[in-house]
Amino acid sequence: MRQRHHFHTDHAGHSVTVTVQTGHTVVVEVLVDGKETGYVTTHGDDPITVRIELPTDPPQPAAIRAKPGPGTPGCLFEAPGAEPRPMSPRAY
């Protein structure tokens, strides 16, 4: 059965939102300031890393490490010069 899980954090003045859709095919979608900047599909419960850029001047690289399962999915936000931090779950 497919389920969607949503996560959010703010970094350097930008809003980062992740949707993890579980099921036979796992889909991870990343939005930065409401615009899609990353999209990955895979099979299984292995962690997935989605590399993105924050729209700063110059653009700043960042990554989302999504854990689709087993159990409850989770996301970790990683950016250079900042400690990796868990993203807060959101109910939509």
Side-chain angles (χ1 to χ4, degrees), residues 18-89:
V18 178
T19 300
V20 178
Q21 182 172 305
T22 60
H24 179 68
T25 300
V26 175
V27 177
V28 179
E29 178 185 39
V30 182
L31 304 177
V32 175
D33 297 335
K35 296 180 183 176
E36 185 177 301
T37 59
Y39 184 90
V40 175
T41 62
T42 188
H43 298 281
D45 290 334
D46 294 331
I48 305 162
T49 299
V50 183
R51 303 209 182 279
I52 61 170
E53 283 188 344
L54 299 175
T56 56
D57 189 22
Q60 180 183 12
I64 305 299
R65 189 175 308 258
K67 180 189 73 78
T72 304
C75 288
L76 190 68
F77 178 82
E78 300 174 333
E83 290 291 320
R85 66 179 180 263
M87 296 180 71
S88 300

Short mmCIF file of all heavy atoms in Angstrom, two decimals, residues 18-89:
data_model
loop_
_atom_site.label_atom_id
_atom_site.label_comp_id
_atom_site.label_asym_id
_atom_site.label_seq_id
_atom_site.Cartn_x
_atom_site.Cartn_y
_atom_site.Cartn_z
N VAL A 18 10.23 17.74 1.78
CA VAL A 18 10.45 16.43 1.16
C VAL A 18 9.19 15.59 1.30
O VAL A 18 8.58 15.56 2.37
CB VAL A 18 11.64 15.69 1.81
CG1 VAL A 18 11.83 14.31 1.19
CG2 VAL A 18 12.91 16.51 1.70
N THR A 19 8.81 14.92 0.22
CA THR A 19 7.73 13.94 0.25
C THR A 19 8.34 12.58 -0.05
O THR A 19 9.03 12.42 -1.07
CB THR A 19 6.64 14.26 -0.78
OG1 THR A 19 6.09 15.54 -0.48
CG2 THR A 19 5.53 13.22 -0.74
N VAL A 20 8.11 11.62 0.83
CA VAL A 20 8.56 10.24 0.63
C VAL A 20 7.31 9.39 0.44
O VAL A 20 6.48 9.31 1.33
CB VAL A 20 9.39 9.71 1.82
CG1 VAL A 20 9.79 8.25 1.59
CG2 VAL A 20 10.61 10.58 2.06
N GLN A 21 7.18 8.82 -0.75
CA GLN A 21 6.04 7.95 -1.03
C GLN A 21 6.53 6.51 -1.00
O GLN A 21 7.40 6.13 -1.77
CB GLN A 21 5.45 8.28 -2.40
CG GLN A 21 4.23 7.46 -2.74
CD GLN A 21 3.56 7.96 -4.00
OE1 GLN A 21 3.21 9.11 -4.11
NE2 GLN A 21 3.40 7.07 -4.96
N THR A 22 6.00 5.74 -0.05
CA THR A 22 6.43 4.36 0.11
C THR A 22 5.52 3.43 -0.69
O THR A 22 4.47 3.82 -1.16
CB THR A 22 6.41 3.95 1.59
OG1 THR A 22 5.08 4.09 2.09
CG2 THR A 22 7.36 4.80 2.41
N GLY A 23 5.95 2.20 -0.84
CA GLY A 23 5.20 1.20 -1.59
C GLY A 23 6.18 0.35 -2.38
O GLY A 23 7.38 0.32 -2.09
N HIS A 24 5.69 -0.32 -3.43
CA HIS A 24 6.57 -1.16 -4.25
C HIS A 24 7.69 -0.33 -4.86
O HIS A 24 8.85 -0.73 -4.86
CB HIS A 24 5.75 -1.85 -5.35
CG HIS A 24 6.59 -2.70 -6.25
ND1 HIS A 24 7.20 -3.86 -5.79
CD2 HIS A 24 6.96 -2.56 -7.54
CE1 HIS A 24 7.88 -4.39 -6.78
NE2 HIS A 24 7.75 -3.63 -7.86
N THR A 25 7.36 0.85 -5.36
CA THR A 25 8.35 1.80 -5.85
C THR A 25 8.37 2.98 -4.90
O THR A 25 7.34 3.59 -4.63
CB THR A 25 8.00 2.30 -7.27
OG1 THR A 25 7.96 1.17 -8.15
CG2 THR A 25 9.02 3.29 -7.78
N VAL A 26 9.54 3.31 -4.37
CA VAL A 26 9.70 4.44 -3.46
C VAL A 26 9.99 5.70 -4.29
O VAL A 26 10.84 5.67 -5.19
CB VAL A 26 10.84 4.19 -2.45
CG1 VAL A 26 11.08 5.41 -1.58
CG2 VAL A 26 10.53 2.97 -1.60
N VAL A 27 9.28 6.78 -3.99
CA VAL A 27 9.48 8.05 -4.68
C VAL A 27 9.87 9.10 -3.64
O VAL A 27 9.19 9.24 -2.62
CB VAL A 27 8.20 8.51 -5.41
CG1 VAL A 27 8.40 9.87 -6.06
CG2 VAL A 27 7.79 7.47 -6.44
N VAL A 28 10.96 9.83 -3.89
CA VAL A 28 11.38 10.92 -3.02
C VAL A 28 11.39 12.20 -3.86
O VAL A 28 12.09 12.27 -4.87
CB VAL A 28 12.77 10.68 -2.41
CG1 VAL A 28 13.18 11.85 -1.52
CG2 VAL A 28 12.79 9.38 -1.61
N GLU A 29 10.60 13.18 -3.44
CA GLU A 29 10.51 14.46 -4.15
C GLU A 29 10.95 15.57 -3.20
O GLU A 29 10.49 15.62 -2.06
CB GLU A 29 9.07 14.69 -4.60
CG GLU A 29 8.86 16.01 -5.29
CD GLU A 29 7.39 16.24 -5.61
OE1 GLU A 29 6.54 15.90 -4.78
OE2 GLU A 29 7.13 16.77 -6.69
N VAL A 30 11.84 16.46 -3.68
CA VAL A 30 12.35 17.55 -2.86
C VAL A 30 11.94 18.89 -3.48
O VAL A 30 12.16 19.11 -4.68
CB VAL A 30 13.89 17.50 -2.74
CG1 VAL A 30 14.39 18.63 -1.83
CG2 VAL A 30 14.35 16.15 -2.21
N LEU A 31 11.34 19.75 -2.66
CA LEU A 31 10.98 21.10 -3.08
C LEU A 31 11.80 22.09 -2.27
O LEU A 31 11.93 21.95 -1.05
CB LEU A 31 9.49 21.38 -2.83
CG LEU A 31 8.47 20.45 -3.44
CD1 LEU A 31 7.07 20.85 -3.00
CD2 LEU A 31 8.57 20.45 -4.94
N VAL A 32 12.36 23.09 -2.96
CA VAL A 32 13.05 24.19 -2.29
C VAL A 32 12.29 25.46 -2.67
O VAL A 32 12.15 25.77 -3.86
CB VAL A 32 14.53 24.29 -2.72
CG1 VAL A 32 15.18 25.52 -2.10
CG2 VAL A 32 15.29 23.03 -2.33
N ASP A 33 11.78 26.15 -1.68
CA ASP A 33 10.96 27.34 -1.89
C ASP A 33 9.80 27.05 -2.84
O ASP A 33 9.43 27.87 -3.68
CB ASP A 33 11.80 28.50 -2.40
CG ASP A 33 12.86 28.93 -1.41
OD1 ASP A 33 12.66 28.70 -0.19
OD2 ASP A 33 13.89 29.49 -1.82
N GLY A 34 9.22 25.84 -2.73
CA GLY A 34 8.07 25.47 -3.53
C GLY A 34 8.35 24.97 -4.92
O GLY A 34 7.44 24.64 -5.67
N LYS A 35 9.63 24.91 -5.32
CA LYS A 35 10.00 24.45 -6.66
C LYS A 35 10.70 23.10 -6.56
O LYS A 35 11.58 22.91 -5.72
CB LYS A 35 10.92 25.45 -7.35
CG LYS A 35 10.26 26.78 -7.59
CD LYS A 35 11.21 27.74 -8.26
CE LYS A 35 10.52 29.09 -8.42
NZ LYS A 35 11.42 30.08 -8.99
N GLU A 36 10.32 22.18 -7.44
CA GLU A 36 10.93 20.84 -7.43
C GLU A 36 12.40 20.95 -7.83
O GLU A 36 12.73 21.47 -8.89
CB GLU A 36 10.20 19.90 -8.38
CG GLU A 36 10.73 18.48 -8.30
CD GLU A 36 9.96 17.51 -9.18
OE1 GLU A 36 8.74 17.40 -8.99
OE2 GLU A 36 10.60 16.90 -10.04
N THR A 37 13.28 20.46 -6.96
CA THR A 37 14.71 20.49 -7.25
C THR A 37 15.34 19.11 -7.22
O THR A 37 16.51 18.96 -7.57
CB THR A 37 15.46 21.40 -6.24
OG1 THR A 37 15.24 20.90 -4.94
CG2 THR A 37 14.99 22.83 -6.34
N GLY A 38 14.59 18.12 -6.78
CA GLY A 38 15.11 16.75 -6.74
C GLY A 38 13.99 15.75 -6.79
O GLY A 38 12.91 15.97 -6.23
N TYR A 39 14.24 14.63 -7.51
CA TYR A 39 13.23 13.59 -7.66
C TYR A 39 13.97 12.28 -7.91
O TYR A 39 14.79 12.20 -8.83
CB TYR A 39 12.32 13.92 -8.84
CG TYR A 39 11.17 12.96 -9.02
CD1 TYR A 39 9.95 13.17 -8.40
CD2 TYR A 39 11.30 11.84 -9.84
CE1 TYR A 39 8.89 12.31 -8.57
CE2 TYR A 39 10.24 10.97 -10.02
CZ TYR A 39 9.04 11.21 -9.39
OH TYR A 39 7.99 10.34 -9.57
N VAL A 40 13.70 11.27 -7.08
CA VAL A 40 14.37 9.98 -7.23
C VAL A 40 13.35 8.88 -7.00
O VAL A 40 12.48 9.00 -6.13
CB VAL A 40 15.52 9.83 -6.19
CG1 VAL A 40 16.13 8.45 -6.25
CG2 VAL A 40 16.57 10.88 -6.40
N THR A 41 13.45 7.80 -7.78
CA THR A 41 12.64 6.61 -7.53
C THR A 41 13.58 5.43 -7.33
O THR A 41 14.69 5.40 -7.88
CB THR A 41 11.69 6.29 -8.70
OG1 THR A 41 12.46 6.04 -9.87
CG2 THR A 41 10.74 7.44 -8.96
N THR A 42 13.13 4.47 -6.52
CA THR A 42 13.92 3.27 -6.27
C THR A 42 13.00 2.16 -5.77
O THR A 42 11.82 2.40 -5.53
CB THR A 42 15.04 3.56 -5.24
OG1 THR A 42 15.90 2.42 -5.17
CG2 THR A 42 14.48 3.86 -3.88
N HIS A 43 13.54 0.99 -5.62
CA HIS A 43 12.80 -0.13 -5.06
C HIS A 43 13.47 -0.53 -3.75
O HIS A 43 14.68 -0.47 -3.62
CB HIS A 43 12.80 -1.32 -6.02
CG HIS A 43 12.13 -1.03 -7.32
ND1 HIS A 43 10.77 -1.02 -7.47
CD2 HIS A 43 12.62 -0.69 -8.53
CE1 HIS A 43 10.46 -0.71 -8.70
NE2 HIS A 43 11.57 -0.49 -9.37
N GLY A 44 12.69 -0.94 -2.78
CA GLY A 44 13.27 -1.41 -1.53
C GLY A 44 13.31 -0.33 -0.47
O GLY A 44 12.88 0.79 -0.66
N ASP A 45 13.90 -0.70 0.67
CA ASP A 45 13.94 0.18 1.84
C ASP A 45 15.31 0.77 2.12
O ASP A 45 15.55 1.30 3.19
CB ASP A 45 13.48 -0.60 3.09
CG ASP A 45 12.00 -0.92 3.05
OD1 ASP A 45 11.25 -0.17 2.39
OD2 ASP A 45 11.59 -1.92 3.67
N ASP A 46 16.24 0.67 1.16
CA ASP A 46 17.58 1.22 1.39
C ASP A 46 17.53 2.75 1.41
O ASP A 46 16.73 3.37 0.70
CB ASP A 46 18.53 0.77 0.28
CG ASP A 46 18.77 -0.73 0.31
OD1 ASP A 46 18.70 -1.32 1.42
OD2 ASP A 46 19.02 -1.31 -0.76
N PRO A 47 18.38 3.38 2.23
CA PRO A 47 18.44 4.84 2.25
C PRO A 47 18.79 5.42 0.88
O PRO A 47 19.53 4.81 0.11
CB PRO A 47 19.55 5.14 3.26
CG PRO A 47 19.61 3.93 4.12
CD PRO A 47 19.27 2.78 3.22
N ILE A 48 18.23 6.58 0.59
CA ILE A 48 18.42 7.25 -0.69
C ILE A 48 18.98 8.64 -0.42
O ILE A 48 18.49 9.34 0.46
CB ILE A 48 17.07 7.41 -1.43
CG1 ILE A 48 16.38 6.07 -1.58
CG2 ILE A 48 17.24 8.09 -2.76
CD1 ILE A 48 14.90 6.19 -1.88
N THR A 49 19.99 9.06 -1.19
CA THR A 49 20.51 10.42 -1.08
C THR A 49 20.10 11.20 -2.32
O THR A 49 20.35 10.76 -3.45
CB THR A 49 22.04 10.42 -0.94
OG1 THR A 49 22.39 9.70 0.26
CG2 THR A 49 22.58 11.84 -0.85
N VAL A 50 19.46 12.35 -2.10
CA VAL A 50 19.05 13.23 -3.19
C VAL A 50 19.87 14.50 -3.07
O VAL A 50 19.78 15.21 -2.07
CB VAL A 50 17.55 13.56 -3.12
CG1 VAL A 50 17.13 14.42 -4.30
CG2 VAL A 50 16.71 12.29 -3.05
N ARG A 51 20.70 14.77 -4.07
CA ARG A 51 21.53 15.97 -4.06
C ARG A 51 20.75 17.13 -4.68
O ARG A 51 20.13 16.97 -5.72
CB ARG A 51 22.82 15.72 -4.82
CG ARG A 51 23.57 14.53 -4.23
CD ARG A 51 25.06 14.62 -4.42
NE ARG A 51 25.70 13.44 -3.88
CZ ARG A 51 25.98 13.24 -2.60
NH1 ARG A 51 25.65 14.14 -1.73
NH2 ARG A 51 26.57 12.14 -2.18
N ILE A 52 20.81 18.29 -4.00
CA ILE A 52 20.08 19.47 -4.46
C ILE A 52 21.00 20.68 -4.36
O ILE A 52 22.11 20.58 -3.84
CB ILE A 52 18.81 19.71 -3.62
CG1 ILE A 52 19.17 19.95 -2.14
CG2 ILE A 52 17.83 18.56 -3.77
CD1 ILE A 52 18.03 20.43 -1.28
N GLU A 53 20.53 21.82 -4.87
CA GLU A 53 21.22 23.10 -4.70
C GLU A 53 20.24 24.10 -4.13
O GLU A 53 19.09 24.17 -4.57
CB GLU A 53 21.75 23.62 -6.03
CG GLU A 53 23.00 22.93 -6.51
CD GLU A 53 23.59 23.61 -7.74
OE1 GLU A 53 22.90 24.42 -8.39
OE2 GLU A 53 24.76 23.32 -8.02
N LEU A 54 20.70 24.86 -3.15
CA LEU A 54 19.89 25.95 -2.61
C LEU A 54 20.14 27.18 -3.47
O LEU A 54 21.27 27.45 -3.86
CB LEU A 54 20.25 26.22 -1.16
CG LEU A 54 20.03 25.06 -0.20
CD1 LEU A 54 20.54 25.42 1.19
CD2 LEU A 54 18.57 24.68 -0.15
N PRO A 55 19.08 27.96 -3.78
CA PRO A 55 19.22 29.11 -4.69
C PRO A 55 19.84 30.33 -4.02
O PRO A 55 19.22 31.38 -3.89
CB PRO A 55 17.78 29.36 -5.15
CG PRO A 55 16.95 28.90 -4.00
CD PRO A 55 17.70 27.74 -3.40
N THR A 56 21.07 30.18 -3.56
CA THR A 56 21.81 31.31 -2.99
C THR A 56 22.78 31.81 -4.05
O THR A 56 22.86 31.26 -5.14
CB THR A 56 22.58 30.85 -1.73
OG1 THR A 56 23.44 29.76 -2.08
CG2 THR A 56 21.64 30.41 -0.63
N ASP A 57 23.53 32.85 -3.75
CA ASP A 57 24.50 33.38 -4.71
C ASP A 57 25.88 33.27 -4.10
O ASP A 57 26.21 34.04 -3.20
CB ASP A 57 24.16 34.83 -5.04
CG ASP A 57 25.01 35.35 -6.19
OD1 ASP A 57 25.52 34.53 -6.98
OD2 ASP A 57 25.16 36.59 -6.30
N PRO A 58 26.72 32.34 -4.50
CA PRO A 58 26.51 31.29 -5.51
C PRO A 58 25.63 30.17 -4.93
O PRO A 58 25.47 30.07 -3.71
CB PRO A 58 27.91 30.77 -5.79
CG PRO A 58 28.65 30.99 -4.51
CD PRO A 58 28.06 32.26 -3.90
N PRO A 59 25.08 29.30 -5.82
CA PRO A 59 24.26 28.19 -5.34
C PRO A 59 25.01 27.32 -4.34
O PRO A 59 26.20 27.06 -4.50
CB PRO A 59 23.94 27.41 -6.62
CG PRO A 59 24.06 28.42 -7.70
CD PRO A 59 25.17 29.34 -7.28
N GLN A 60 24.31 26.90 -3.29
CA GLN A 60 24.92 26.10 -2.23
C GLN A 60 24.44 24.65 -2.35
O GLN A 60 23.24 24.40 -2.36
CB GLN A 60 24.53 26.65 -0.86
CG GLN A 60 25.11 25.87 0.29
CD GLN A 60 24.64 26.42 1.63
OE1 GLN A 60 23.73 27.22 1.72
NE2 GLN A 60 25.27 25.95 2.70
N PRO A 61 25.38 23.69 -2.44
CA PRO A 61 24.96 22.29 -2.52
C PRO A 61 24.42 21.81 -1.18
O PRO A 61 24.81 22.31 -0.11
CB PRO A 61 26.25 21.55 -2.88
CG PRO A 61 27.34 22.42 -2.34
CD PRO A 61 26.83 23.83 -2.46
N ALA A 62 23.50 20.89 -1.23
CA ALA A 62 22.94 20.26 -0.04
C ALA A 62 22.48 18.87 -0.44
O ALA A 62 22.48 18.53 -1.62
CB ALA A 62 21.79 21.09 0.52
N ALA A 63 22.11 18.07 0.54
CA ALA A 63 21.63 16.72 0.25
C ALA A 63 20.55 16.35 1.25
O ALA A 63 20.56 16.79 2.40
CB ALA A 63 22.77 15.71 0.30
N ILE A 64 19.64 15.53 0.79
CA ILE A 64 18.61 14.95 1.63
C ILE A 64 18.88 13.45 1.67
O ILE A 64 18.99 12.81 0.62
CB ILE A 64 17.19 15.18 1.05
CG1 ILE A 64 16.93 16.66 0.80
CG2 ILE A 64 16.14 14.54 1.95
CD1 ILE A 64 16.98 17.53 2.01
N ARG A 65 19.00 12.91 2.85
CA ARG A 65 19.17 11.46 3.00
C ARG A 65 17.84 10.92 3.53
O ARG A 65 17.47 11.18 4.67
CB ARG A 65 20.31 11.14 3.95
CG ARG A 65 20.66 9.67 3.98
CD ARG A 65 21.87 9.44 4.85
NE ARG A 65 22.97 10.31 4.49
CZ ARG A 65 24.04 9.93 3.78
NH1 ARG A 65 24.13 8.69 3.36
NH2 ARG A 65 25.00 10.77 3.52
N ALA A 66 17.12 10.22 2.66
CA ALA A 66 15.80 9.70 3.02
C ALA A 66 15.90 8.21 3.35
O ALA A 66 16.58 7.46 2.65
CB ALA A 66 14.82 9.91 1.87
N LYS A 67 15.22 7.82 4.42
CA LYS A 67 15.14 6.42 4.82
C LYS A 67 13.68 6.01 4.70
O LYS A 67 12.86 6.33 5.57
CB LYS A 67 15.63 6.26 6.25
CG LYS A 67 15.58 4.82 6.77
CD LYS A 67 15.86 4.74 8.26
CE LYS A 67 14.75 5.23 9.10
NZ LYS A 67 13.60 4.41 9.32
N PRO A 68 13.32 5.33 3.59
CA PRO A 68 11.92 4.99 3.37
C PRO A 68 11.38 3.90 4.30
O PRO A 68 10.19 3.79 4.50
CB PRO A 68 11.86 4.53 1.92
CG PRO A 68 13.26 4.27 1.51
CD PRO A 68 14.16 4.99 2.45
N GLY A 69 12.22 3.09 4.86
CA GLY A 69 11.74 2.02 5.73
C GLY A 69 12.91 1.16 6.16
O GLY A 69 14.05 1.52 5.92
N PRO A 70 12.68 0.06 6.80
CA PRO A 70 11.37 -0.42 7.26
C PRO A 70 10.86 0.45 8.41
O PRO A 70 11.63 1.15 9.06
CB PRO A 70 11.64 -1.85 7.71
CG PRO A 70 13.08 -1.88 8.07
CD PRO A 70 13.76 -0.86 7.18
N GLY A 71 9.58 0.39 8.62
CA GLY A 71 8.98 1.21 9.67
C GLY A 71 8.66 2.60 9.15
O GLY A 71 8.39 2.80 7.97
N THR A 72 8.71 3.56 10.05
CA THR A 72 8.36 4.94 9.70
C THR A 72 9.51 5.60 8.94
O THR A 72 10.65 5.57 9.41
CB THR A 72 8.05 5.74 10.98
OG1 THR A 72 7.02 5.08 11.69
CG2 THR A 72 7.63 7.15 10.64
N PRO A 73 9.24 6.22 7.78
CA PRO A 73 10.28 6.91 7.03
C PRO A 73 10.83 8.11 7.80
O PRO A 73 10.18 8.63 8.71
CB PRO A 73 9.56 7.38 5.76
CG PRO A 73 8.40 6.48 5.63
CD PRO A 73 7.98 6.17 7.04
N GLY A 74 12.03 8.52 7.43
CA GLY A 74 12.65 9.69 8.02
C GLY A 74 13.57 10.36 7.02
O GLY A 74 13.97 9.75 6.03
N CYS A 75 13.90 11.63 7.26
CA CYS A 75 14.79 12.39 6.36
C CYS A 75 15.81 13.16 7.20
O CYS A 75 15.49 13.67 8.28
CB CYS A 75 14.00 13.37 5.51
SG CYS A 75 13.01 12.59 4.24
N LEU A 76 17.00 13.28 6.65
CA LEU A 76 18.10 14.01 7.27
C LEU A 76 18.57 15.05 6.26
O LEU A 76 18.80 14.74 5.09
CB LEU A 76 19.23 13.04 7.60
CG LEU A 76 20.38 13.53 8.45
CD1 LEU A 76 19.88 13.81 9.87
CD2 LEU A 76 21.48 12.49 8.49
N PHE A 77 18.70 16.32 6.70
CA PHE A 77 19.18 17.39 5.83
C PHE A 77 20.67 17.59 6.09
O PHE A 77 21.10 17.71 7.23
CB PHE A 77 18.43 18.69 6.13
CG PHE A 77 18.90 19.85 5.32
CD1 PHE A 77 18.45 20.03 4.03
CD2 PHE A 77 19.80 20.76 5.84
CE1 PHE A 77 18.90 21.09 3.26
CE2 PHE A 77 20.26 21.83 5.09
CZ PHE A 77 19.81 22.00 3.80
N GLU A 78 21.46 17.64 4.99
CA GLU A 78 22.91 17.83 5.10
C GLU A 78 23.34 18.98 4.20
O GLU A 78 22.96 19.02 3.03
CB GLU A 78 23.64 16.56 4.68
CG GLU A 78 23.28 15.34 5.52
CD GLU A 78 23.90 14.06 4.98
OE1 GLU A 78 24.17 13.98 3.76
OE2 GLU A 78 24.11 13.14 5.78
N ALA A 79 24.13 19.91 4.76
CA ALA A 79 24.68 21.02 3.99
C ALA A 79 26.09 21.30 4.48
O ALA A 79 26.37 21.12 5.67
CB ALA A 79 23.81 22.26 4.14
N PRO A 80 26.99 21.74 3.58
CA PRO A 80 28.34 22.05 4.01
C PRO A 80 28.35 23.14 5.09
O PRO A 80 27.59 24.10 5.02
CB PRO A 80 29.02 22.58 2.73
CG PRO A 80 28.19 22.04 1.61
CD PRO A 80 26.80 21.93 2.15
N GLY A 81 29.15 22.94 6.11
CA GLY A 81 29.27 23.92 7.18
C GLY A 81 28.16 23.85 8.22
O GLY A 81 28.11 24.69 9.11
N ALA A 82 27.27 22.88 8.09
CA ALA A 82 26.17 22.74 9.06
C ALA A 82 26.10 21.29 9.51
O ALA A 82 26.41 20.38 8.75
CB ALA A 82 24.84 23.15 8.42
N GLU A 83 25.70 21.10 10.74
CA GLU A 83 25.52 19.74 11.26
C GLU A 83 24.33 19.09 10.56
O GLU A 83 23.31 19.74 10.36
CB GLU A 83 25.26 19.78 12.76
CG GLU A 83 26.44 20.18 13.59
CD GLU A 83 27.53 19.12 13.60
OE1 GLU A 83 27.19 17.92 13.67
OE2 GLU A 83 28.70 19.49 13.53
N PRO A 84 24.46 17.81 10.16
CA PRO A 84 23.28 17.11 9.63
C PRO A 84 22.17 17.13 10.67
O PRO A 84 22.42 16.97 11.86
CB PRO A 84 23.78 15.69 9.38
CG PRO A 84 25.26 15.80 9.30
CD PRO A 84 25.63 16.95 10.19
N ARG A 85 20.95 17.36 10.21
CA ARG A 85 19.84 17.42 11.17
C ARG A 85 18.60 16.72 10.62
O ARG A 85 18.32 16.78 9.43
CB ARG A 85 19.53 18.85 11.54
CG ARG A 85 18.99 19.71 10.44
CD ARG A 85 18.69 21.11 11.00
NE ARG A 85 18.18 21.97 9.98
CZ ARG A 85 18.91 22.83 9.28
NH1 ARG A 85 20.19 22.93 9.51
NH2 ARG A 85 18.34 23.59 8.37
N PRO A 86 17.87 16.08 11.52
CA PRO A 86 16.62 15.42 11.12
C PRO A 86 15.61 16.47 10.67
O PRO A 86 15.53 17.56 11.23
CB PRO A 86 16.13 14.72 12.37
CG PRO A 86 17.25 14.75 13.33
CD PRO A 86 18.16 15.86 12.93
N MET A 87 14.83 16.13 9.66
CA MET A 87 13.77 17.01 9.19
C MET A 87 12.48 16.68 9.95
O MET A 87 12.20 15.52 10.23
CB MET A 87 13.58 16.84 7.69
CG MET A 87 14.81 17.26 6.90
SD MET A 87 14.61 17.08 5.13
CE MET A 87 13.47 18.41 4.77
N SER A 88 11.71 17.71 10.28
CA SER A 88 10.48 17.54 11.04
C SER A 88 9.38 16.94 10.17
O SER A 88 9.16 17.41 9.05
CB SER A 88 10.00 18.88 11.57
OG SER A 88 10.97 19.45 12.39
N PRO A 89 8.68 15.92 10.69
CA PRO A 89 7.53 15.40 9.95
C PRO A 89 6.41 16.43 9.90
O PRO A 89 6.25 17.22 10.83
CB PRO A 89 7.09 14.18 10.76
CG PRO A 89 8.09 13.99 11.82
CD PRO A 89 8.94 15.20 11.91
#
